Amino acid sequence: MDSRLIQAFSHWFTIGANLLSIIGIVFFIKLPKDKRVNIQYWLPFFILIFTVFYENIGSYTNYNYDFKKAVNAYLGNTEYPQFNLWLYNVARRQLGVILYLLLIQNWLQPAHKEYINWMIYGFIVLVFALQVSGIQPLYLNQPIIFAIGANLILIGSGLYFIGMITHDQYLESNPLRLVSFWQMTIIFFSFSLNYISSVALLYLYQVNPVLGKALQDISNALFLCTLGAFIVTIASPLFPRIFEKEPSYGIN
């Protein structure tokens, strides 16, 4: 087998994500049919599989330089053909943000769900405007779009925690036994830390590559923790003694 192909797919993050996807598939198959069609379970599963899919495509582009170069040329990027930022900009920083907002919306009380709809509409308009205008080219780093998306997710997470401390059903439950609490807590901390580190990441890679790589590794580890939280969500109906039933308004 081509050694370059093995090297492209041998990064610990890619291996970890693939292993988590296999675990997620096993648990999802074991779910009763009525649970598999419930958005509370199929949406985290979809995000898990979608994430692993584009991460593997990213690994493939690092192996197939000609393909990556051709896509960059099509997008107008002939100066940095070695980049595959276009993939992560679309998959993680754009579609990923929308999927996470829909996931958060699933846990919110009805009065707050409409806020998420407006966030999604506004985000789509802003992304389109920033890319068409050339302010944030698709093939380069998009710090403005990332910042907007991360802040929307943090706001959505804040709405969840507001509901947790104000809604009677949440106040009567044990948050440590609610899968929504663990899912939202990990998402909140993951995006908070990634948002802070991303501001200085490119600069650190230039002046202190070792520290920059360490921050990137921390970001990847947190991302795997988020995928792990999705697996816990998917598997939660199989462990009724561990997790409590979610408040009724939190499930569509």
Side-chain angles (χ1 to χ4, degrees):
M1 185 177 290
D2 192 335
S3 60
R4 292 194 304 113
L5 181 63
I6 296 176
Q7 183 179 5
F9 286 88
S10 62
H11 191 276
W12 63 267
F13 176 76
T14 304
I15 295 174
N18 286 328
L19 290 175
L20 288 174
S21 71
I22 295 173
I23 297 172
I25 291 172
V26 171
F27 279 124
F28 189 75
I29 292 174
K30 287 186 175 182
L31 286 179
K33 185 176 180 180
D34 63 313
K35 299 296 185 182
R36 291 200 300 267
V37 297
N38 189 321
I39 190 174
Q40 182 179 348
Y41 306 106
W42 70 254
L43 183 55
F45 177 72
F46 177 80
I47 297 176
L48 171 65
I49 299 303
F50 175 70
T51 301
V52 174
F53 172 75
Y54 74 70
E55 288 294 343
N56 279 280
I57 293 297
S59 297
Y60 175 75
T61 60
N62 289 329
Y63 162 72
N64 191 339
Y65 176 77
D66 291 336
F67 172 74
K68 181 166 55 176
K69 181 179 179 181
V71 174
N72 276 302
Y74 176 78
L75 296 174
N77 176 25
T78 56
E79 186 176 0
Y80 304 103
Q82 73 275 21
F83 289 173
N84 60 0
L85 286 171
W86 43 268
L87 172 65
Y88 292 96
N89 285 336
V90 172
R92 181 181 291 187
R93 296 186 173 185
Q94 297 176 23
L95 294 178
V97 167
I98 294 173
L99 289 173
Y100 273 86
L101 288 174
L102 291 173
L103 184 72
I104 294 170
Q105 186 183 52
N106 185 55
W107 302 116
L108 299 183
Q109 53 185 301
H112 291 161
K113 290 181 182 290
E114 189 63 26
Y115 298 153
I116 300 297
N117 289 334
W118 285 109
M119 289 181 190
I120 293 174
Y121 298 147
F123 180 71
I124 292 174
V125 171
L126 285 172
V127 168
F128 181 78
L130 288 170
Q131 290 187 159
V132 171
S133 65
I135 297 176
Q136 297 273 263
L138 181 61
Y139 52 81
L140 295 179
N141 193 38
Q142 296 183 322
I144 297 176
I145 291 176
F146 172 76
I148 294 172
N151 277 290
L152 291 178
I153 290 174
L154 294 178
I155 292 171
S157 301
L159 292 175
Y160 167 81
F161 290 111
I162 290 173
M164 171 167 280
I165 62 177
T166 57
H167 194 273
D168 291 339
Q169 291 189 40
Y170 269 120
L171 294 174
E172 295 171 359
S173 64
N174 179 1
L176 297 180
R177 297 188 62 186
L178 294 177
V179 70
S180 64
F181 172 78
W182 291 107
Q183 187 183 106
M184 295 304 305
T185 299
I186 292 175
I187 288 175
F188 181 80
F189 278 105
S190 177
F191 275 87
S192 296
L193 294 176
N194 286 340
Y195 178 56
I196 295 171
S197 65
S198 68
V199 175
L201 189 59
L202 292 178
Y203 172 75
L204 286 175
Y205 261 116
Q206 294 176 352
V207 300
N208 193 335
V210 175
L211 181 57
K213 183 179 183 303
L215 284 176
Q216 186 62 53
D217 287 342
I218 293 173
S219 175
N220 287 335
L222 288 171
F223 207 60
L224 288 180
C225 289
T226 304
L227 298 183
F230 294 156
I231 294 176
V232 172
T233 301
I234 296 166
S236 59
L238 304 176
F239 302 95
R241 294 184 179 181
I242 299 178
F243 298 102
E244 293 183 1
K245 184 178 180 181
E246 296 288 333
S248 58
Y249 82 72
I251 302 175
N252 290 339

